[in-house]
Structure formats: structure tokens, C-alpha cells
Amino acid sequence: MARYELIAHNRAGQPHGRPVFVTADSPGEAVMVGGPTLRRVVERDHTHADLYAVYRHRRVRGRRLVGAFSPDGPDTGTAGVREPRRPLPNPPSLRAEAELPAFPDI
């Protein structure tokens, strides 16, 4: 388990609010564990977070950026959309055929 620091950033990329420290196995898990606390901090300060930056703390090298996550998740995506195995059939066409008039034999 590693120690991570989560910091909320605004649209301009400036950090605001106090950081949240969590212990987790991965940066994604750190956001899942510390996200609710970070959301409360942002709401308390009446600010808006557009990005969560995740830093990993190490003894020798200090802190290092390991990930950036959107608090709302991606707006557009293809999750759950599956390509059809076969193309859909063409819609039925309207076709009208008339019988030709019978001509008498001469």
C-alpha cells in the first residue's frame, strides 16, 4: 500500500482547498477512497473542481504526479456500446408495378 495525496484543481489548473492523504494500492483506488472527502472540502470552500491530481509520496524522491482524474467522469464515451455483428438490413422499399395493357394481335 502506498501513500497518495489528492488535490483538487480548478479550470485554470491552480490547486485549491486542502489536500487529502490516503493509503491505497493504486491511484484509481486512491481517488475512490479519497474522492468523497475531497468533494466535501470543495463544497465547503464553495469552489468547483475540474480535476483531481494524484501524487504519490516517496521517502527519497518526495512527491510525484501519478495521475489526473475528472471528478465527474468522462462526458462522452462508448462504454457499453457494442458494435453489431451484422449490419442491419435495408429498410423495405416501396415499389409499384403495373401490368402492361394488352394489345390486340393484328
Side-chain angles (χ1 to χ4, degrees), residues 21-59:
F21 294 92
V22 295
T23 304
D25 288 329
S26 67
E29 183 182 348
V31 171
M32 288 186 343
V33 171
T37 305
L38 198 56
R39 262 184 242 114
R40 284 194 301 269
V41 169
V42 168
E43 289 173 3
R44 186 196 67 204
D45 295 341
H46 302 291
T47 57
H48 180 70
D50 292 318
L51 183 73
Y52 292 162
V54 181
Y55 295 92
R56 181 171 180 191
H57 280 265
R58 296 184 180 186
R59 292 182 184 174

PDB file of all heavy atoms in Angstrom, residues 21-59:
ATOM      1  N   PHE A  21      -4.942  13.060   2.163  1.00  0.00           N
ATOM      2  CA  PHE A  21      -3.971  11.976   2.141  1.00  0.00           C
ATOM      3  C   PHE A  21      -4.689  10.647   2.367  1.00  0.00           C
ATOM      4  O   PHE A  21      -5.500  10.520   3.290  1.00  0.00           O
ATOM      5  CB  PHE A  21      -2.907  12.177   3.218  1.00  0.00           C
ATOM      6  CG  PHE A  21      -2.045  13.381   2.982  1.00  0.00           C
ATOM      7  CD1 PHE A  21      -2.369  14.609   3.533  1.00  0.00           C
ATOM      8  CD2 PHE A  21      -0.925  13.290   2.180  1.00  0.00           C
ATOM      9  CE1 PHE A  21      -1.584  15.720   3.306  1.00  0.00           C
ATOM     10  CE2 PHE A  21      -0.123  14.398   1.948  1.00  0.00           C
ATOM     11  CZ  PHE A  21      -0.461  15.609   2.514  1.00  0.00           C
ATOM     12  N   VAL A  22      -4.393   9.665   1.514  1.00  0.00           N
ATOM     13  CA  VAL A  22      -4.995   8.330   1.639  1.00  0.00           C
ATOM     14  C   VAL A  22      -3.931   7.274   1.402  1.00  0.00           C
ATOM     15  O   VAL A  22      -2.894   7.534   0.790  1.00  0.00           O
ATOM     16  CB  VAL A  22      -6.166   8.121   0.643  1.00  0.00           C
ATOM     17  CG1 VAL A  22      -7.313   9.054   0.942  1.00  0.00           C
ATOM     18  CG2 VAL A  22      -5.704   8.282  -0.772  1.00  0.00           C
ATOM     19  N   THR A  23      -4.205   6.071   1.869  1.00  0.00           N
ATOM     20  CA  THR A  23      -3.349   4.921   1.627  1.00  0.00           C
ATOM     21  C   THR A  23      -4.125   3.953   0.752  1.00  0.00           C
ATOM     22  O   THR A  23      -5.233   3.560   1.096  1.00  0.00           O
ATOM     23  CB  THR A  23      -2.967   4.246   2.950  1.00  0.00           C
ATOM     24  OG1 THR A  23      -2.348   5.214   3.792  1.00  0.00           O
ATOM     25  CG2 THR A  23      -2.001   3.099   2.715  1.00  0.00           C
ATOM     26  N   ALA A  24      -3.541   3.598  -0.411  1.00  0.00           N
ATOM     27  CA  ALA A  24      -4.242   2.738  -1.360  1.00  0.00           C
ATOM     28  C   ALA A  24      -3.231   1.950  -2.177  1.00  0.00           C
ATOM     29  O   ALA A  24      -2.026   2.203  -2.130  1.00  0.00           O
ATOM     30  CB  ALA A  24      -5.128   3.573  -2.277  1.00  0.00           C
ATOM     31  N   ASP A  25      -3.751   0.993  -2.964  1.00  0.00           N
ATOM     32  CA  ASP A  25      -2.893   0.162  -3.810  1.00  0.00           C
ATOM     33  C   ASP A  25      -2.568   0.818  -5.147  1.00  0.00           C
ATOM     34  O   ASP A  25      -1.545   0.522  -5.749  1.00  0.00           O
ATOM     35  CB  ASP A  25      -3.550  -1.194  -4.075  1.00  0.00           C
ATOM     36  CG  ASP A  25      -3.551  -2.072  -2.830  1.00  0.00           C
ATOM     37  OD1 ASP A  25      -2.616  -1.939  -2.018  1.00  0.00           O
ATOM     38  OD2 ASP A  25      -4.486  -2.882  -2.685  1.00  0.00           O
ATOM     39  N   SER A  26      -3.463   1.680  -5.643  1.00  0.00           N
ATOM     40  CA  SER A  26      -3.261   2.296  -6.950  1.00  0.00           C
ATOM     41  C   SER A  26      -3.828   3.718  -6.924  1.00  0.00           C
ATOM     42  O   SER A  26      -4.615   4.058  -6.030  1.00  0.00           O
ATOM     43  CB  SER A  26      -3.958   1.477  -8.037  1.00  0.00           C
ATOM     44  OG  SER A  26      -5.355   1.540  -7.857  1.00  0.00           O
ATOM     45  N   PRO A  27      -3.450   4.555  -7.911  1.00  0.00           N
ATOM     46  CA  PRO A  27      -4.003   5.912  -7.959  1.00  0.00           C
ATOM     47  C   PRO A  27      -5.527   5.917  -8.134  1.00  0.00           C
ATOM     48  O   PRO A  27      -6.213   6.753  -7.553  1.00  0.00           O
ATOM     49  CB  PRO A  27      -3.316   6.541  -9.171  1.00  0.00           C
ATOM     50  CG  PRO A  27      -2.066   5.765  -9.362  1.00  0.00           C
ATOM     51  CD  PRO A  27      -2.376   4.380  -8.899  1.00  0.00           C
ATOM     52  N   GLY A  28      -6.058   4.979  -8.911  1.00  0.00           N
ATOM     53  CA  GLY A  28      -7.504   4.905  -9.086  1.00  0.00           C
ATOM     54  C   GLY A  28      -8.229   4.592  -7.793  1.00  0.00           C
ATOM     55  O   GLY A  28      -9.284   5.155  -7.490  1.00  0.00           O
ATOM     56  N   GLU A  29      -7.669   3.676  -7.027  1.00  0.00           N
ATOM     57  CA  GLU A  29      -8.264   3.348  -5.737  1.00  0.00           C
ATOM     58  C   GLU A  29      -8.156   4.525  -4.770  1.00  0.00           C
ATOM     59  O   GLU A  29      -9.057   4.766  -3.971  1.00  0.00           O
ATOM     60  CB  GLU A  29      -7.583   2.120  -5.139  1.00  0.00           C
ATOM     61  CG  GLU A  29      -8.199   1.668  -3.839  1.00  0.00           C
ATOM     62  CD  GLU A  29      -7.492   0.467  -3.228  1.00  0.00           C
ATOM     63  OE1 GLU A  29      -6.673  -0.160  -3.919  1.00  0.00           O
ATOM     64  OE2 GLU A  29      -7.768   0.183  -2.057  1.00  0.00           O
ATOM     65  N   ALA A  30      -7.061   5.289  -4.874  1.00  0.00           N
ATOM     66  CA  ALA A  30      -6.898   6.467  -4.027  1.00  0.00           C
ATOM     67  C   ALA A  30      -7.996   7.488  -4.308  1.00  0.00           C
ATOM     68  O   ALA A  30      -8.531   8.108  -3.390  1.00  0.00           O
ATOM     69  CB  ALA A  30      -5.521   7.087  -4.250  1.00  0.00           C
ATOM     70  N   VAL A  31      -8.374   7.646  -5.573  1.00  0.00           N
ATOM     71  CA  VAL A  31      -9.453   8.579  -5.920  1.00  0.00           C
ATOM     72  C   VAL A  31     -10.790   8.052  -5.400  1.00  0.00           C
ATOM     73  O   VAL A  31     -11.617   8.820  -4.910  1.00  0.00           O
ATOM     74  CB  VAL A  31      -9.501   8.815  -7.450  1.00  0.00           C
ATOM     75  CG1 VAL A  31     -10.731   9.588  -7.839  1.00  0.00           C
ATOM     76  CG2 VAL A  31      -8.257   9.543  -7.900  1.00  0.00           C
ATOM     77  N   MET A  32     -10.993   6.733  -5.476  1.00  0.00           N
ATOM     78  CA  MET A  32     -12.242   6.162  -4.971  1.00  0.00           C
ATOM     79  C   MET A  32     -12.352   6.330  -3.458  1.00  0.00           C
ATOM     80  O   MET A  32     -13.419   6.627  -2.929  1.00  0.00           O
ATOM     81  CB  MET A  32     -12.345   4.686  -5.333  1.00  0.00           C
ATOM     82  CG  MET A  32     -12.607   4.458  -6.795  1.00  0.00           C
ATOM     83  SD  MET A  32     -12.917   2.760  -7.340  1.00  0.00           S
ATOM     84  CE  MET A  32     -12.351   1.720  -6.057  1.00  0.00           C
ATOM     85  N   VAL A  33     -11.244   6.167  -2.749  1.00  0.00           N
ATOM     86  CA  VAL A  33     -11.266   6.266  -1.290  1.00  0.00           C
ATOM     87  C   VAL A  33     -11.337   7.726  -0.844  1.00  0.00           C
ATOM     88  O   VAL A  33     -12.117   8.083   0.038  1.00  0.00           O
ATOM     89  CB  VAL A  33     -10.025   5.569  -0.685  1.00  0.00           C
ATOM     90  CG1 VAL A  33      -9.908   5.848   0.799  1.00  0.00           C
ATOM     91  CG2 VAL A  33     -10.074   4.089  -0.959  1.00  0.00           C
ATOM     92  N   GLY A  34     -10.524   8.585  -1.446  1.00  0.00           N
ATOM     93  CA  GLY A  34     -10.443   9.974  -1.007  1.00  0.00           C
ATOM     94  C   GLY A  34     -11.369  10.922  -1.727  1.00  0.00           C
ATOM     95  O   GLY A  34     -11.486  12.087  -1.339  1.00  0.00           O
ATOM     96  N   GLY A  35     -12.047  10.467  -2.785  1.00  0.00           N
ATOM     97  CA  GLY A  35     -12.929  11.334  -3.559  1.00  0.00           C
ATOM     98  C   GLY A  35     -14.057  11.967  -2.763  1.00  0.00           C
ATOM     99  O   GLY A  35     -14.290  13.173  -2.854  1.00  0.00           O
ATOM    100  N   PRO A  36     -14.793  11.178  -1.961  1.00  0.00           N
ATOM    101  CA  PRO A  36     -15.874  11.794  -1.174  1.00  0.00           C
ATOM    102  C   PRO A  36     -15.381  12.871  -0.207  1.00  0.00           C
ATOM    103  O   PRO A  36     -16.013  13.916  -0.058  1.00  0.00           O
ATOM    104  CB  PRO A  36     -16.477  10.606  -0.419  1.00  0.00           C
ATOM    105  CG  PRO A  36     -16.141   9.414  -1.252  1.00  0.00           C
ATOM    106  CD  PRO A  36     -14.814   9.727  -1.867  1.00  0.00           C
ATOM    107  N   THR A  37     -14.247  12.640   0.422  1.00  0.00           N
ATOM    108  CA  THR A  37     -13.685  13.645   1.327  1.00  0.00           C
ATOM    109  C   THR A  37     -13.273  14.886   0.552  1.00  0.00           C
ATOM    110  O   THR A  37     -13.532  16.015   0.992  1.00  0.00           O
ATOM    111  CB  THR A  37     -12.464  13.070   2.074  1.00  0.00           C
ATOM    112  OG1 THR A  37     -12.852  11.874   2.742  1.00  0.00           O
ATOM    113  CG2 THR A  37     -11.918  14.070   3.071  1.00  0.00           C
ATOM    114  N   LEU A  38     -12.656  14.699  -0.598  1.00  0.00           N
ATOM    115  CA  LEU A  38     -12.231  15.836  -1.415  1.00  0.00           C
ATOM    116  C   LEU A  38     -13.437  16.624  -1.918  1.00  0.00           C
ATOM    117  O   LEU A  38     -13.403  17.853  -1.969  1.00  0.00           O
ATOM    118  CB  LEU A  38     -11.382  15.333  -2.581  1.00  0.00           C
ATOM    119  CG  LEU A  38     -10.503  16.354  -3.278  1.00  0.00           C
ATOM    120  CD1 LEU A  38      -9.571  17.032  -2.298  1.00  0.00           C
ATOM    121  CD2 LEU A  38      -9.689  15.688  -4.364  1.00  0.00           C
ATOM    122  N   ARG A  39     -14.536  15.927  -2.253  1.00  0.00           N
ATOM    123  CA  ARG A  39     -15.760  16.615  -2.679  1.00  0.00           C
ATOM    124  C   ARG A  39     -16.328  17.471  -1.557  1.00  0.00           C
ATOM    125  O   ARG A  39     -16.792  18.588  -1.785  1.00  0.00           O
ATOM    126  CB  ARG A  39     -16.799  15.598  -3.139  1.00  0.00           C
ATOM    127  CG  ARG A  39     -16.811  15.450  -4.628  1.00  0.00           C
ATOM    128  CD  ARG A  39     -17.922  14.519  -5.087  1.00  0.00           C
ATOM    129  NE  ARG A  39     -17.246  13.393  -5.740  1.00  0.00           N
ATOM    130  CZ  ARG A  39     -17.241  12.153  -5.320  1.00  0.00           C
ATOM    131  NH1 ARG A  39     -17.917  11.807  -4.260  1.00  0.00           N
ATOM    132  NH2 ARG A  39     -16.568  11.232  -5.968  1.00  0.00           N
ATOM    133  N   ARG A  40     -16.301  16.956  -0.326  1.00  0.00           N
ATOM    134  CA  ARG A  40     -16.790  17.742   0.816  1.00  0.00           C
ATOM    135  C   ARG A  40     -15.932  18.981   1.026  1.00  0.00           C
ATOM    136  O   ARG A  40     -16.448  20.051   1.346  1.00  0.00           O
ATOM    137  CB  ARG A  40     -16.823  16.888   2.074  1.00  0.00           C
ATOM    138  CG  ARG A  40     -17.984  15.918   2.108  1.00  0.00           C
ATOM    139  CD  ARG A  40     -18.180  15.327   3.498  1.00  0.00           C
ATOM    140  NE  ARG A  40     -17.019  14.610   3.990  1.00  0.00           N
ATOM    141  CZ  ARG A  40     -16.795  13.313   3.814  1.00  0.00           C
ATOM    142  NH1 ARG A  40     -17.667  12.600   3.134  1.00  0.00           N
ATOM    143  NH2 ARG A  40     -15.730  12.744   4.307  1.00  0.00           N
ATOM    144  N   VAL A  41     -14.624  18.851   0.858  1.00  0.00           N
ATOM    145  CA  VAL A  41     -13.722  20.003   1.008  1.00  0.00           C
ATOM    146  C   VAL A  41     -14.036  21.054  -0.042  1.00  0.00           C
ATOM    147  O   VAL A  41     -14.112  22.246   0.254  1.00  0.00           O
ATOM    148  CB  VAL A  41     -12.243  19.547   0.913  1.00  0.00           C
ATOM    149  CG1 VAL A  41     -11.315  20.738   0.785  1.00  0.00           C
ATOM    150  CG2 VAL A  41     -11.871  18.702   2.113  1.00  0.00           C
ATOM    151  N   VAL A  42     -14.249  20.625  -1.280  1.00  0.00           N
ATOM    152  CA  VAL A  42     -14.540  21.565  -2.366  1.00  0.00           C
ATOM    153  C   VAL A  42     -15.882  22.258  -2.123  1.00  0.00           C
ATOM    154  O   VAL A  42     -16.020  23.461  -2.318  1.00  0.00           O
ATOM    155  CB  VAL A  42     -14.529  20.819  -3.720  1.00  0.00           C
ATOM    156  CG1 VAL A  42     -15.104  21.680  -4.826  1.00  0.00           C
ATOM    157  CG2 VAL A  42     -13.111  20.397  -4.070  1.00  0.00           C
ATOM    158  N   GLU A  43     -16.905  21.505  -1.683  1.00  0.00           N
ATOM    159  CA  GLU A  43     -18.212  22.105  -1.407  1.00  0.00           C
ATOM    160  C   GLU A  43     -18.142  23.068  -0.230  1.00  0.00           C
ATOM    161  O   GLU A  43     -18.808  24.104  -0.233  1.00  0.00           O
ATOM    162  CB  GLU A  43     -19.238  21.006  -1.132  1.00  0.00           C
ATOM    163  CG  GLU A  43     -19.616  20.211  -2.361  1.00  0.00           C
ATOM    164  CD  GLU A  43     -20.498  19.028  -2.032  1.00  0.00           C
ATOM    165  OE1 GLU A  43     -20.872  18.851  -0.843  1.00  0.00           O
ATOM    166  OE2 GLU A  43     -20.807  18.262  -2.961  1.00  0.00           O
ATOM    167  N   ARG A  44     -17.357  22.738   0.769  1.00  0.00           N
ATOM    168  CA  ARG A  44     -17.229  23.615   1.927  1.00  0.00           C
ATOM    169  C   ARG A  44     -16.586  24.943   1.548  1.00  0.00           C
ATOM    170  O   ARG A  44     -16.965  25.991   2.053  1.00  0.00           O
ATOM    171  CB  ARG A  44     -16.394  22.925   3.008  1.00  0.00           C
ATOM    172  CG  ARG A  44     -16.342  23.723   4.313  1.00  0.00           C
ATOM    173  CD  ARG A  44     -15.244  23.249   5.212  1.00  0.00           C
ATOM    174  NE  ARG A  44     -13.973  23.569   4.564  1.00  0.00           N
ATOM    175  CZ  ARG A  44     -12.844  22.937   4.809  1.00  0.00           C
ATOM    176  NH1 ARG A  44     -12.806  21.934   5.646  1.00  0.00           N
ATOM    177  NH2 ARG A  44     -11.731  23.290   4.202  1.00  0.00           N
ATOM    178  N   ASP A  45     -15.623  24.897   0.620  1.00  0.00           N
ATOM    179  CA  ASP A  45     -14.940  26.119   0.200  1.00  0.00           C
ATOM    180  C   ASP A  45     -15.700  26.874  -0.883  1.00  0.00           C
ATOM    181  O   ASP A  45     -15.245  27.922  -1.335  1.00  0.00           O
ATOM    182  CB  ASP A  45     -13.532  25.782  -0.324  1.00  0.00           C
ATOM    183  CG  ASP A  45     -12.647  25.222   0.775  1.00  0.00           C
ATOM    184  OD1 ASP A  45     -12.975  25.424   1.960  1.00  0.00           O
ATOM    185  OD2 ASP A  45     -11.631  24.590   0.432  1.00  0.00           O
ATOM    186  N   HIS A  46     -16.854  26.340  -1.318  1.00  0.00           N
ATOM    187  CA  HIS A  46     -17.678  26.962  -2.364  1.00  0.00           C
ATOM    188  C   HIS A  46     -16.886  27.187  -3.640  1.00  0.00           C
ATOM    189  O   HIS A  46     -16.929  28.255  -4.251  1.00  0.00           O
ATOM    190  CB  HIS A  46     -18.289  28.280  -1.875  1.00  0.00           C
ATOM    191  CG  HIS A  46     -19.120  28.114  -0.649  1.00  0.00           C
ATOM    192  ND1 HIS A  46     -20.319  27.453  -0.659  1.00  0.00           N
ATOM    193  CD2 HIS A  46     -18.915  28.509   0.639  1.00  0.00           C
ATOM    194  CE1 HIS A  46     -20.831  27.461   0.567  1.00  0.00           C
ATOM    195  NE2 HIS A  46     -19.995  28.087   1.374  1.00  0.00           N
ATOM    196  N   THR A  47     -16.139  26.189  -4.051  1.00  0.00           N
ATOM    197  CA  THR A  47     -15.368  26.250  -5.293  1.00  0.00           C
ATOM    198  C   THR A  47     -15.796  25.097  -6.191  1.00  0.00           C
ATOM    199  O   THR A  47     -16.638  24.287  -5.816  1.00  0.00           O
ATOM    200  CB  THR A  47     -13.854  26.171  -5.015  1.00  0.00           C
ATOM    201  OG1 THR A  47     -13.594  24.964  -4.300  1.00  0.00           O
ATOM    202  CG2 THR A  47     -13.375  27.367  -4.213  1.00  0.00           C
ATOM    203  N   HIS A  48     -15.209  25.036  -7.359  1.00  0.00           N
ATOM    204  CA  HIS A  48     -15.537  23.978  -8.316  1.00  0.00           C
ATOM    205  C   HIS A  48     -14.256  23.268  -8.711  1.00  0.00           C
ATOM    206  O   HIS A  48     -13.272  23.908  -9.092  1.00  0.00           O
ATOM    207  CB  HIS A  48     -16.217  24.575  -9.547  1.00  0.00           C
ATOM    208  CG  HIS A  48     -16.575  23.549 -10.570  1.00  0.00           C
ATOM    209  ND1 HIS A  48     -17.587  22.628 -10.369  1.00  0.00           N
ATOM    210  CD2 HIS A  48     -16.053  23.281 -11.774  1.00  0.00           C
ATOM    211  CE1 HIS A  48     -17.666  21.854 -11.420  1.00  0.00           C
ATOM    212  NE2 HIS A  48     -16.745  22.226 -12.298  1.00  0.00           N
ATOM    213  N   ALA A  49     -14.241  21.949  -8.633  1.00  0.00           N
ATOM    214  CA  ALA A  49     -13.064  21.164  -9.005  1.00  0.00           C
ATOM    215  C   ALA A  49     -13.274  20.563 -10.385  1.00  0.00           C
ATOM    216  O   ALA A  49     -14.255  19.872 -10.624  1.00  0.00           O
ATOM    217  CB  ALA A  49     -12.814  20.068  -7.990  1.00  0.00           C
ATOM    218  N   ASP A  50     -12.368  20.844 -11.303  1.00  0.00           N
ATOM    219  CA  ASP A  50     -12.432  20.272 -12.640  1.00  0.00           C
ATOM    220  C   ASP A  50     -11.491  19.092 -12.797  1.00  0.00           C
ATOM    221  O   ASP A  50     -11.589  18.357 -13.771  1.00  0.00           O
ATOM    222  CB  ASP A  50     -12.072  21.330 -13.688  1.00  0.00           C
ATOM    223  CG  ASP A  50     -13.133  22.407 -13.778  1.00  0.00           C
ATOM    224  OD1 ASP A  50     -14.321  22.052 -13.746  1.00  0.00           O
ATOM    225  OD2 ASP A  50     -12.767  23.583 -13.877  1.00  0.00           O
ATOM    226  N   LEU A  51     -10.574  18.926 -11.846  1.00  0.00           N
ATOM    227  CA  LEU A  51      -9.566  17.887 -11.972  1.00  0.00           C
ATOM    228  C   LEU A  51      -9.061  17.504 -10.594  1.00  0.00           C
ATOM    229  O   LEU A  51      -8.902  18.360  -9.723  1.00  0.00           O
ATOM    230  CB  LEU A  51      -8.399  18.425 -12.817  1.00  0.00           C
ATOM    231  CG  LEU A  51      -7.260  17.485 -13.133  1.00  0.00           C
ATOM    232  CD1 LEU A  51      -7.708  16.466 -14.172  1.00  0.00           C
ATOM    233  CD2 LEU A  51      -6.087  18.267 -13.656  1.00  0.00           C
ATOM    234  N   TYR A  52      -8.839  16.214 -10.372  1.00  0.00           N
ATOM    235  CA  TYR A  52      -8.183  15.731  -9.159  1.00  0.00           C
ATOM    236  C   TYR A  52      -6.794  15.270  -9.563  1.00  0.00           C
ATOM    237  O   TYR A  52      -6.649  14.376 -10.383  1.00  0.00           O
ATOM    238  CB  TYR A  52      -8.920  14.549  -8.539  1.00  0.00           C
ATOM    239  CG  TYR A  52     -10.282  14.863  -7.958  1.00  0.00           C
ATOM    240  CD1 TYR A  52     -11.175  13.850  -7.711  1.00  0.00           C
ATOM    241  CD2 TYR A  52     -10.657  16.156  -7.644  1.00  0.00           C
ATOM    242  CE1 TYR A  52     -12.422  14.102  -7.170  1.00  0.00           C
ATOM    243  CE2 TYR A  52     -11.895  16.432  -7.112  1.00  0.00           C
ATOM    244  CZ  TYR A  52     -12.776  15.393  -6.877  1.00  0.00           C
ATOM    245  OH  TYR A  52     -14.007  15.650  -6.340  1.00  0.00           O
ATOM    246  N   ALA A  53      -5.775  15.873  -8.987  1.00  0.00           N
ATOM    247  CA  ALA A  53      -4.402  15.441  -9.230  1.00  0.00           C
ATOM    248  C   ALA A  53      -4.003  14.481  -8.113  1.00  0.00           C
ATOM    249  O   ALA A  53      -4.264  14.740  -6.939  1.00  0.00           O
ATOM    250  CB  ALA A  53      -3.464  16.642  -9.255  1.00  0.00           C
ATOM    251  N   VAL A  54      -3.381  13.371  -8.484  1.00  0.00           N
ATOM    252  CA  VAL A  54      -2.977  12.352  -7.518  1.00  0.00           C
ATOM    253  C   VAL A  54      -1.461  12.290  -7.503  1.00  0.00           C
ATOM    254  O   VAL A  54      -0.823  12.072  -8.531  1.00  0.00           O
ATOM    255  CB  VAL A  54      -3.573  10.972  -7.883  1.00  0.00           C
ATOM    256  CG1 VAL A  54      -3.170   9.939  -6.857  1.00  0.00           C
ATOM    257  CG2 VAL A  54      -5.078  11.048  -8.008  1.00  0.00           C
ATOM    258  N   TYR A  55      -0.883  12.511  -6.326  1.00  0.00           N
ATOM    259  CA  TYR A  55       0.561  12.457  -6.147  1.00  0.00           C
ATOM    260  C   TYR A  55       0.892  11.279  -5.245  1.00  0.00           C
ATOM    261  O   TYR A  55       0.171  10.972  -4.308  1.00  0.00           O
ATOM    262  CB  TYR A  55       1.070  13.744  -5.486  1.00  0.00           C
ATOM    263  CG  TYR A  55       0.877  14.974  -6.328  1.00  0.00           C
ATOM    264  CD1 TYR A  55      -0.270  15.751  -6.208  1.00  0.00           C
ATOM    265  CD2 TYR A  55       1.840  15.366  -7.239  1.00  0.00           C
ATOM    266  CE1 TYR A  55      -0.455  16.878  -6.974  1.00  0.00           C
ATOM    267  CE2 TYR A  55       1.668  16.499  -8.015  1.00  0.00           C
ATOM    268  CZ  TYR A  55       0.523  17.248  -7.874  1.00  0.00           C
ATOM    269  OH  TYR A  55       0.332  18.373  -8.639  1.00  0.00           O
ATOM    270  N   ARG A  56       2.026  10.639  -5.531  1.00  0.00           N
ATOM    271  CA  ARG A  56       2.493   9.547  -4.680  1.00  0.00           C
ATOM    272  C   ARG A  56       3.671  10.063  -3.864  1.00  0.00           C
ATOM    273  O   ARG A  56       4.586  10.697  -4.399  1.00  0.00           O
ATOM    274  CB  ARG A  56       2.932   8.360  -5.525  1.00  0.00           C
ATOM    275  CG  ARG A  56       3.385   7.212  -4.666  1.00  0.00           C
ATOM    276  CD  ARG A  56       3.623   5.980  -5.458  1.00  0.00           C
ATOM    277  NE  ARG A  56       4.053   4.932  -4.541  1.00  0.00           N
ATOM    278  CZ  ARG A  56       4.540   3.789  -4.917  1.00  0.00           C
ATOM    279  NH1 ARG A  56       4.667   3.524  -6.197  1.00  0.00           N
ATOM    280  NH2 ARG A  56       4.905   2.899  -4.044  1.00  0.00           N
ATOM    281  N   HIS A  57       3.647   9.785  -2.601  1.00  0.00           N
ATOM    282  CA  HIS A  57       4.720  10.230  -1.720  1.00  0.00           C
ATOM    283  C   HIS A  57       5.747   9.118  -1.564  1.00  0.00           C
ATOM    284  O   HIS A  57       5.410   7.969  -1.301  1.00  0.00           O
ATOM    285  CB  HIS A  57       4.162  10.610  -0.344  1.00  0.00           C
ATOM    286  CG  HIS A  57       3.561  11.961  -0.341  1.00  0.00           C
ATOM    287  ND1 HIS A  57       4.254  13.072   0.040  1.00  0.00           N
ATOM    288  CD2 HIS A  57       2.335  12.388  -0.713  1.00  0.00           C
ATOM    289  CE1 HIS A  57       3.478  14.129  -0.074  1.00  0.00           C
ATOM    290  NE2 HIS A  57       2.305  13.741  -0.536  1.00  0.00           N
ATOM    291  N   ARG A  58       7.010   9.491  -1.748  1.00  0.00           N
ATOM    292  CA  ARG A  58       8.116   8.554  -1.562  1.00  0.00           C
ATOM    293  C   ARG A  58       9.100   9.142  -0.564  1.00  0.00           C
ATOM    294  O   ARG A  58       9.218  10.356  -0.426  1.00  0.00           O
ATOM    295  CB  ARG A  58       8.824   8.296  -2.896  1.00  0.00           C
ATOM    296  CG  ARG A  58       7.924   7.620  -3.900  1.00  0.00           C
ATOM    297  CD  ARG A  58       8.675   7.305  -5.137  1.00  0.00           C
ATOM    298  NE  ARG A  58       7.796   6.661  -6.102  1.00  0.00           N
ATOM    299  CZ  ARG A  58       8.190   6.162  -7.236  1.00  0.00           C
ATOM    300  NH1 ARG A  58       9.459   6.248  -7.569  1.00  0.00           N
ATOM    301  NH2 ARG A  58       7.345   5.595  -8.045  1.00  0.00           N
ATOM    302  N   ARG A  59       9.830   8.280   0.068  1.00  0.00           N
ATOM    303  CA  ARG A  59      10.773   8.752   1.090  1.00  0.00           C
ATOM    304  C   ARG A  59      11.947   9.512   0.480  1.00  0.00           C
ATOM    305  O   ARG A  59      12.359  10.531   0.985  1.00  0.00           O
ATOM    306  CB  ARG A  59      11.309   7.565   1.883  1.00  0.00           C
ATOM    307  CG  ARG A  59      10.268   6.925   2.736  1.00  0.00           C
ATOM    308  CD  ARG A  59      10.848   5.800   3.518  1.00  0.00           C
ATOM    309  NE  ARG A  59       9.797   5.127   4.276  1.00  0.00           N
ATOM    310  CZ  ARG A  59       9.973   4.046   4.958  1.00  0.00           C
ATOM    311  NH1 ARG A  59      11.160   3.472   4.988  1.00  0.00           N
ATOM    312  NH2 ARG A  59       8.979   3.509   5.616  1.00  0.00           N
TER     313      ARG A  59
END
